[in-house]
PDB file of all heavy atoms in Angstrom:
ATOM      1  N   GLU Z  76     -32.143 119.329  43.083  1.00  0.00           N
ATOM      2  CA  GLU Z  76     -32.250 119.547  41.641  1.00  0.00           C
ATOM      3  C   GLU Z  76     -32.485 121.029  41.341  1.00  0.00           C
ATOM      4  O   GLU Z  76     -31.917 121.578  40.397  1.00  0.00           O
ATOM      5  CB  GLU Z  76     -33.394 118.702  41.080  1.00  0.00           C
ATOM      6  CG  GLU Z  76     -33.564 118.792  39.565  1.00  0.00           C
ATOM      7  CD  GLU Z  76     -34.689 117.907  39.065  1.00  0.00           C
ATOM      8  OE1 GLU Z  76     -35.267 117.153  39.876  1.00  0.00           O
ATOM      9  OE2 GLU Z  76     -35.009 117.987  37.867  1.00  0.00           O
ATOM     10  N   GLN Z  77     -33.294 121.677  42.190  1.00  0.00           N
ATOM     11  CA  GLN Z  77     -33.584 123.094  41.989  1.00  0.00           C
ATOM     12  C   GLN Z  77     -32.452 123.990  42.482  1.00  0.00           C
ATOM     13  O   GLN Z  77     -32.234 125.078  41.951  1.00  0.00           O
ATOM     14  CB  GLN Z  77     -34.881 123.453  42.726  1.00  0.00           C
ATOM     15  CG  GLN Z  77     -36.110 122.738  42.185  1.00  0.00           C
ATOM     16  CD  GLN Z  77     -37.328 122.906  43.086  1.00  0.00           C
ATOM     17  OE1 GLN Z  77     -37.266 123.544  44.139  1.00  0.00           O
ATOM     18  NE2 GLN Z  77     -38.442 122.324  42.692  1.00  0.00           N
ATOM     19  N   ASP Z  78     -31.738 123.545  43.517  1.00  0.00           N
ATOM     20  CA  ASP Z  78     -30.705 124.378  44.135  1.00  0.00           C
ATOM     21  C   ASP Z  78     -29.571 123.486  44.641  1.00  0.00           C
ATOM     22  O   ASP Z  78     -29.547 123.105  45.810  1.00  0.00           O
ATOM     23  CB  ASP Z  78     -31.303 125.178  45.297  1.00  0.00           C
ATOM     24  CG  ASP Z  78     -30.293 126.127  45.920  1.00  0.00           C
ATOM     25  OD1 ASP Z  78     -29.129 126.164  45.460  1.00  0.00           O
ATOM     26  OD2 ASP Z  78     -30.668 126.836  46.878  1.00  0.00           O
ATOM     27  N   PRO Z  79     -28.599 123.132  43.790  1.00  0.00           N
ATOM     28  CA  PRO Z  79     -27.494 122.251  44.221  1.00  0.00           C
ATOM     29  C   PRO Z  79     -26.673 122.825  45.371  1.00  0.00           C
ATOM     30  O   PRO Z  79     -25.977 122.073  46.061  1.00  0.00           O
ATOM     31  CB  PRO Z  79     -26.650 122.120  42.957  1.00  0.00           C
ATOM     32  CG  PRO Z  79     -27.586 122.429  41.826  1.00  0.00           C
ATOM     33  CD  PRO Z  79     -28.528 123.462  42.359  1.00  0.00           C
ATOM     34  N   GLY Z  80     -26.770 124.132  45.614  1.00  0.00           N
ATOM     35  CA  GLY Z  80     -26.013 124.753  46.691  1.00  0.00           C
ATOM     36  C   GLY Z  80     -26.486 124.378  48.082  1.00  0.00           C
ATOM     37  O   GLY Z  80     -25.857 124.761  49.072  1.00  0.00           O
ATOM     38  N   ARG Z  81     -27.563 123.607  48.180  1.00  0.00           N
ATOM     39  CA  ARG Z  81     -27.993 123.145  49.505  1.00  0.00           C
ATOM     40  C   ARG Z  81     -27.055 122.089  50.074  1.00  0.00           C
ATOM     41  O   ARG Z  81     -27.171 121.711  51.235  1.00  0.00           O
ATOM     42  CB  ARG Z  81     -29.402 122.576  49.451  1.00  0.00           C
ATOM     43  CG  ARG Z  81     -30.432 123.538  48.949  1.00  0.00           C
ATOM     44  CD  ARG Z  81     -30.603 124.748  49.862  1.00  0.00           C
ATOM     45  NE  ARG Z  81     -31.705 125.545  49.354  1.00  0.00           N
ATOM     46  CZ  ARG Z  81     -32.977 125.300  49.665  1.00  0.00           C
ATOM     47  NH1 ARG Z  81     -33.267 124.325  50.498  1.00  0.00           N
ATOM     48  NH2 ARG Z  81     -33.932 126.038  49.161  1.00  0.00           N
ATOM     49  N   CYS Z  82     -26.164 121.568  49.257  1.00  0.00           N
ATOM     50  CA  CYS Z  82     -25.088 120.698  49.754  1.00  0.00           C
ATOM     51  C   CYS Z  82     -23.765 121.376  49.435  1.00  0.00           C
ATOM     52  O   CYS Z  82     -23.446 121.587  48.264  1.00  0.00           O
ATOM     53  CB  CYS Z  82     -25.160 119.305  49.116  1.00  0.00           C
ATOM     54  SG  CYS Z  82     -23.888 118.170  49.726  1.00  0.00           S
ATOM     55  N   GLN Z  83     -23.020 121.735  50.478  1.00  0.00           N
ATOM     56  CA  GLN Z  83     -21.725 122.385  50.287  1.00  0.00           C
ATOM     57  C   GLN Z  83     -20.714 121.764  51.251  1.00  0.00           C
ATOM     58  O   GLN Z  83     -21.021 121.539  52.426  1.00  0.00           O
ATOM     59  CB  GLN Z  83     -21.824 123.885  50.542  1.00  0.00           C
ATOM     60  CG  GLN Z  83     -22.754 124.616  49.574  1.00  0.00           C
ATOM     61  CD  GLN Z  83     -22.589 126.114  49.637  1.00  0.00           C
ATOM     62  OE1 GLN Z  83     -21.471 126.629  49.772  1.00  0.00           O
ATOM     63  NE2 GLN Z  83     -23.704 126.836  49.527  1.00  0.00           N
ATOM     64  N   VAL Z  84     -19.515 121.525  50.739  1.00  0.00           N
ATOM     65  CA  VAL Z  84     -18.441 120.958  51.554  1.00  0.00           C
ATOM     66  C   VAL Z  84     -17.155 121.687  51.207  1.00  0.00           C
ATOM     67  O   VAL Z  84     -16.757 121.714  50.027  1.00  0.00           O
ATOM     68  CB  VAL Z  84     -18.265 119.443  51.296  1.00  0.00           C
ATOM     69  CG1 VAL Z  84     -17.202 118.881  52.243  1.00  0.00           C
ATOM     70  CG2 VAL Z  84     -19.581 118.692  51.456  1.00  0.00           C
ATOM     71  N   LEU Z  85     -16.504 122.289  52.204  1.00  0.00           N
ATOM     72  CA  LEU Z  85     -15.233 122.952  51.935  1.00  0.00           C
ATOM     73  C   LEU Z  85     -14.146 121.913  51.690  1.00  0.00           C
ATOM     74  O   LEU Z  85     -14.228 120.770  52.146  1.00  0.00           O
ATOM     75  CB  LEU Z  85     -14.871 123.871  53.099  1.00  0.00           C
ATOM     76  CG  LEU Z  85     -15.895 124.993  53.395  1.00  0.00           C
ATOM     77  CD1 LEU Z  85     -15.342 125.971  54.434  1.00  0.00           C
ATOM     78  CD2 LEU Z  85     -16.295 125.749  52.131  1.00  0.00           C
ATOM     79  N   SER Z  86     -13.111 122.330  50.955  1.00  0.00           N
ATOM     80  CA  SER Z  86     -12.168 121.366  50.375  1.00  0.00           C
ATOM     81  C   SER Z  86     -11.383 120.566  51.409  1.00  0.00           C
ATOM     82  O   SER Z  86     -10.950 119.448  51.127  1.00  0.00           O
ATOM     83  CB  SER Z  86     -11.201 122.102  49.441  1.00  0.00           C
ATOM     84  OG  SER Z  86     -10.502 123.106  50.156  1.00  0.00           O
ATOM     85  N   HIS Z  87     -11.188 121.102  52.625  1.00  0.00           N
ATOM     86  CA  HIS Z  87     -10.378 120.395  53.619  1.00  0.00           C
ATOM     87  C   HIS Z  87     -11.173 119.353  54.399  1.00  0.00           C
ATOM     88  O   HIS Z  87     -10.637 118.754  55.335  1.00  0.00           O
ATOM     89  CB  HIS Z  87      -9.764 121.401  54.605  1.00  0.00           C
ATOM     90  CG  HIS Z  87     -10.779 122.170  55.384  1.00  0.00           C
ATOM     91  ND1 HIS Z  87     -11.461 123.250  54.870  1.00  0.00           N
ATOM     92  CD2 HIS Z  87     -11.249 122.021  56.647  1.00  0.00           C
ATOM     93  CE1 HIS Z  87     -12.294 123.725  55.776  1.00  0.00           C
ATOM     94  NE2 HIS Z  87     -12.186 122.996  56.872  1.00  0.00           N
ATOM     95  N   MET Z  88     -12.423 119.107  54.006  1.00  0.00           N
ATOM     96  CA  MET Z  88     -13.302 118.250  54.804  1.00  0.00           C
ATOM     97  C   MET Z  88     -13.466 116.837  54.238  1.00  0.00           C
ATOM     98  O   MET Z  88     -14.387 116.123  54.637  1.00  0.00           O
ATOM     99  CB  MET Z  88     -14.674 118.916  54.935  1.00  0.00           C
ATOM    100  CG  MET Z  88     -14.649 120.263  55.629  1.00  0.00           C
ATOM    101  SD  MET Z  88     -14.108 120.170  57.359  1.00  0.00           S
ATOM    102  CE  MET Z  88     -15.580 119.507  58.124  1.00  0.00           C
ATOM    103  N   MET Z  89     -12.605 116.403  53.336  1.00  0.00           N
ATOM    104  CA  MET Z  89     -12.797 115.087  52.723  1.00  0.00           C
ATOM    105  C   MET Z  89     -12.725 113.948  53.756  1.00  0.00           C
ATOM    106  O   MET Z  89     -13.517 113.000  53.714  1.00  0.00           O
ATOM    107  CB  MET Z  89     -11.770 114.855  51.611  1.00  0.00           C
ATOM    108  CG  MET Z  89     -11.950 113.516  50.888  1.00  0.00           C
ATOM    109  SD  MET Z  89     -13.626 113.244  50.210  1.00  0.00           S
ATOM    110  CE  MET Z  89     -13.582 114.323  48.770  1.00  0.00           C
ATOM    111  N   THR Z  90     -11.795 114.013  54.690  1.00  0.00           N
ATOM    112  CA  THR Z  90     -11.721 112.952  55.691  1.00  0.00           C
ATOM    113  C   THR Z  90     -13.009 112.899  56.519  1.00  0.00           C
ATOM    114  O   THR Z  90     -13.531 111.823  56.823  1.00  0.00           O
ATOM    115  CB  THR Z  90     -10.507 113.164  56.610  1.00  0.00           C
ATOM    116  OG1 THR Z  90      -9.321 113.185  55.812  1.00  0.00           O
ATOM    117  CG2 THR Z  90     -10.384 112.037  57.623  1.00  0.00           C
ATOM    118  N   ALA Z  91     -13.541 114.061  56.864  1.00  0.00           N
ATOM    119  CA  ALA Z  91     -14.805 114.093  57.617  1.00  0.00           C
ATOM    120  C   ALA Z  91     -15.952 113.539  56.773  1.00  0.00           C
ATOM    121  O   ALA Z  91     -16.895 112.954  57.318  1.00  0.00           O
ATOM    122  CB  ALA Z  91     -15.100 115.521  58.059  1.00  0.00           C
ATOM    123  N   GLN Z  92     -15.893 113.724  55.462  1.00  0.00           N
ATOM    124  CA  GLN Z  92     -16.925 113.133  54.610  1.00  0.00           C
ATOM    125  C   GLN Z  92     -16.925 111.607  54.743  1.00  0.00           C
ATOM    126  O   GLN Z  92     -17.979 110.977  54.871  1.00  0.00           O
ATOM    127  CB  GLN Z  92     -16.683 113.511  53.146  1.00  0.00           C
ATOM    128  CG  GLN Z  92     -16.893 114.975  52.808  1.00  0.00           C
ATOM    129  CD  GLN Z  92     -17.029 115.156  51.302  1.00  0.00           C
ATOM    130  OE1 GLN Z  92     -17.872 114.528  50.668  1.00  0.00           O
ATOM    131  NE2 GLN Z  92     -16.191 116.020  50.725  1.00  0.00           N
ATOM    132  N   TRP Z  93     -15.742 111.008  54.700  1.00  0.00           N
ATOM    133  CA  TRP Z  93     -15.683 109.544  54.819  1.00  0.00           C
ATOM    134  C   TRP Z  93     -16.078 109.085  56.219  1.00  0.00           C
ATOM    135  O   TRP Z  93     -16.723 108.037  56.393  1.00  0.00           O
ATOM    136  CB  TRP Z  93     -14.282 109.047  54.452  1.00  0.00           C
ATOM    137  CG  TRP Z  93     -14.016 109.114  52.978  1.00  0.00           C
ATOM    138  CD1 TRP Z  93     -13.173 109.972  52.335  1.00  0.00           C
ATOM    139  CD2 TRP Z  93     -14.616 108.304  51.955  1.00  0.00           C
ATOM    140  NE1 TRP Z  93     -13.213 109.752  50.981  1.00  0.00           N
ATOM    141  CE2 TRP Z  93     -14.083 108.733  50.720  1.00  0.00           C
ATOM    142  CE3 TRP Z  93     -15.542 107.277  51.957  1.00  0.00           C
ATOM    143  CZ2 TRP Z  93     -14.455 108.155  49.495  1.00  0.00           C
ATOM    144  CZ3 TRP Z  93     -15.933 106.690  50.747  1.00  0.00           C
ATOM    145  CH2 TRP Z  93     -15.381 107.131  49.547  1.00  0.00           C
ATOM    146  N   ASP Z  94     -15.697 109.854  57.239  1.00  0.00           N
ATOM    147  CA  ASP Z  94     -16.144 109.537  58.593  1.00  0.00           C
ATOM    148  C   ASP Z  94     -17.669 109.477  58.660  1.00  0.00           C
ATOM    149  O   ASP Z  94     -18.247 108.580  59.301  1.00  0.00           O
ATOM    150  CB  ASP Z  94     -15.655 110.615  59.577  1.00  0.00           C
ATOM    151  CG  ASP Z  94     -14.199 110.455  59.965  1.00  0.00           C
ATOM    152  OD1 ASP Z  94     -13.642 109.357  59.820  1.00  0.00           O
ATOM    153  OD2 ASP Z  94     -13.615 111.456  60.444  1.00  0.00           O
ATOM    154  N   THR Z  95     -18.315 110.441  58.024  1.00  0.00           N
ATOM    155  CA  THR Z  95     -19.780 110.513  58.053  1.00  0.00           C
ATOM    156  C   THR Z  95     -20.405 109.334  57.319  1.00  0.00           C
ATOM    157  O   THR Z  95     -21.356 108.700  57.814  1.00  0.00           O
ATOM    158  CB  THR Z  95     -20.250 111.834  57.420  1.00  0.00           C
ATOM    159  OG1 THR Z  95     -19.676 112.927  58.140  1.00  0.00           O
ATOM    160  CG2 THR Z  95     -21.765 111.949  57.445  1.00  0.00           C
ATOM    161  N   LEU Z  96     -19.875 109.044  56.144  1.00  0.00           N
ATOM    162  CA  LEU Z  96     -20.401 107.904  55.384  1.00  0.00           C
ATOM    163  C   LEU Z  96     -20.297 106.616  56.192  1.00  0.00           C
ATOM    164  O   LEU Z  96     -21.252 105.827  56.260  1.00  0.00           O
ATOM    165  CB  LEU Z  96     -19.650 107.796  54.056  1.00  0.00           C
ATOM    166  CG  LEU Z  96     -20.018 106.616  53.151  1.00  0.00           C
ATOM    167  CD1 LEU Z  96     -20.013 107.032  51.679  1.00  0.00           C
ATOM    168  CD2 LEU Z  96     -19.065 105.434  53.350  1.00  0.00           C
ATOM    169  N   GLU Z  97     -19.163 106.403  56.805  1.00  0.00           N
ATOM    170  CA  GLU Z  97     -18.962 105.183  57.595  1.00  0.00           C
ATOM    171  C   GLU Z  97     -19.936 105.123  58.764  1.00  0.00           C
ATOM    172  O   GLU Z  97     -20.576 104.089  59.020  1.00  0.00           O
ATOM    173  CB  GLU Z  97     -17.527 105.144  58.114  1.00  0.00           C
ATOM    174  CG  GLU Z  97     -17.213 103.943  58.985  1.00  0.00           C
ATOM    175  CD  GLU Z  97     -15.805 104.014  59.554  1.00  0.00           C
ATOM    176  OE1 GLU Z  97     -15.406 105.100  60.017  1.00  0.00           O
ATOM    177  OE2 GLU Z  97     -15.091 102.990  59.511  1.00  0.00           O
ATOM    178  N   LEU Z  98     -20.079 106.220  59.494  1.00  0.00           N
ATOM    179  CA  LEU Z  98     -20.955 106.241  60.669  1.00  0.00           C
ATOM    180  C   LEU Z  98     -22.403 105.952  60.286  1.00  0.00           C
ATOM    181  O   LEU Z  98     -23.090 105.150  60.948  1.00  0.00           O
ATOM    182  CB  LEU Z  98     -20.844 107.604  61.354  1.00  0.00           C
ATOM    183  CG  LEU Z  98     -21.648 107.792  62.635  1.00  0.00           C
ATOM    184  CD1 LEU Z  98     -21.093 106.903  63.750  1.00  0.00           C
ATOM    185  CD2 LEU Z  98     -21.621 109.264  63.078  1.00  0.00           C
ATOM    186  N   LEU Z  99     -22.875 106.571  59.225  1.00  0.00           N
ATOM    187  CA  LEU Z  99     -24.275 106.368  58.835  1.00  0.00           C
ATOM    188  C   LEU Z  99     -24.502 104.969  58.280  1.00  0.00           C
ATOM    189  O   LEU Z  99     -25.474 104.294  58.646  1.00  0.00           O
ATOM    190  CB  LEU Z  99     -24.709 107.424  57.816  1.00  0.00           C
ATOM    191  CG  LEU Z  99     -25.386 108.659  58.416  1.00  0.00           C
ATOM    192  CD1 LEU Z  99     -24.417 109.460  59.250  1.00  0.00           C
ATOM    193  CD2 LEU Z  99     -26.022 109.527  57.333  1.00  0.00           C
ATOM    194  N   MET Z 100     -23.616 104.517  57.406  1.00  0.00           N
ATOM    195  CA  MET Z 100     -23.828 103.183  56.831  1.00  0.00           C
ATOM    196  C   MET Z 100     -23.804 102.107  57.900  1.00  0.00           C
ATOM    197  O   MET Z 100     -24.653 101.203  57.912  1.00  0.00           O
ATOM    198  CB  MET Z 100     -22.773 102.893  55.761  1.00  0.00           C
ATOM    199  CG  MET Z 100     -22.980 103.637  54.453  1.00  0.00           C
ATOM    200  SD  MET Z 100     -21.799 103.092  53.198  1.00  0.00           S
ATOM    201  CE  MET Z 100     -22.413 103.990  51.759  1.00  0.00           C
ATOM    202  N   GLU Z 101     -22.847 102.171  58.804  1.00  0.00           N
ATOM    203  CA  GLU Z 101     -22.748 101.127  59.829  1.00  0.00           C
ATOM    204  C   GLU Z 101     -23.976 101.123  60.734  1.00  0.00           C
ATOM    205  O   GLU Z 101     -24.522 100.051  61.058  1.00  0.00           O
ATOM    206  CB  GLU Z 101     -21.473 101.329  60.657  1.00  0.00           C
ATOM    207  CG  GLU Z 101     -20.199 100.981  59.896  1.00  0.00           C
ATOM    208  CD  GLU Z 101     -18.986 100.973  60.795  1.00  0.00           C
ATOM    209  OE1 GLU Z 101     -19.025 101.631  61.859  1.00  0.00           O
ATOM    210  OE2 GLU Z 101     -17.983 100.332  60.416  1.00  0.00           O
ATOM    211  N   ASN Z 102     -24.444 102.280  61.144  1.00  0.00           N
ATOM    212  CA  ASN Z 102     -25.592 102.325  62.058  1.00  0.00           C
ATOM    213  C   ASN Z 102     -26.903 102.003  61.355  1.00  0.00           C
ATOM    214  O   ASN Z 102     -27.759 101.315  61.927  1.00  0.00           O
ATOM    215  CB  ASN Z 102     -25.666 103.692  62.734  1.00  0.00           C
ATOM    216  CG  ASN Z 102     -24.695 103.812  63.902  1.00  0.00           C
ATOM    217  OD1 ASN Z 102     -24.949 103.306  64.991  1.00  0.00           O
ATOM    218  ND2 ASN Z 102     -23.564 104.457  63.661  1.00  0.00           N
ATOM    219  N   MET Z 103     -27.080 102.468  60.129  1.00  0.00           N
ATOM    220  CA  MET Z 103     -28.313 102.154  59.405  1.00  0.00           C
ATOM    221  C   MET Z 103     -28.408 100.652  59.141  1.00  0.00           C
ATOM    222  O   MET Z 103     -29.470 100.040  59.284  1.00  0.00           O
ATOM    223  CB  MET Z 103     -28.382 102.959  58.107  1.00  0.00           C
ATOM    224  CG  MET Z 103     -28.575 104.462  58.337  1.00  0.00           C
ATOM    225  SD  MET Z 103     -28.270 105.486  56.870  1.00  0.00           S
ATOM    226  CE  MET Z 103     -29.691 105.080  55.849  1.00  0.00           C
TER     227      MET Z 103
END
Side-chain angles (χ1 to χ4, degrees):
E76 183 179 355
Q77 296 169 359
D78 184 0
R81 302 296 185 85
C82 182
Q83 297 193 39
V84 184
L85 300 188
S86 59
H87 62 281
M88 299 296 284
M89 182 54 75
T90 302
Q92 291 197 55
W93 287 109
D94 281 340
T95 301
L96 177 142
E97 178 184 44
L98 182 67
L99 266 67
M100 286 186 174
E101 288 189 337
N102 280 282
M103 291 166 71

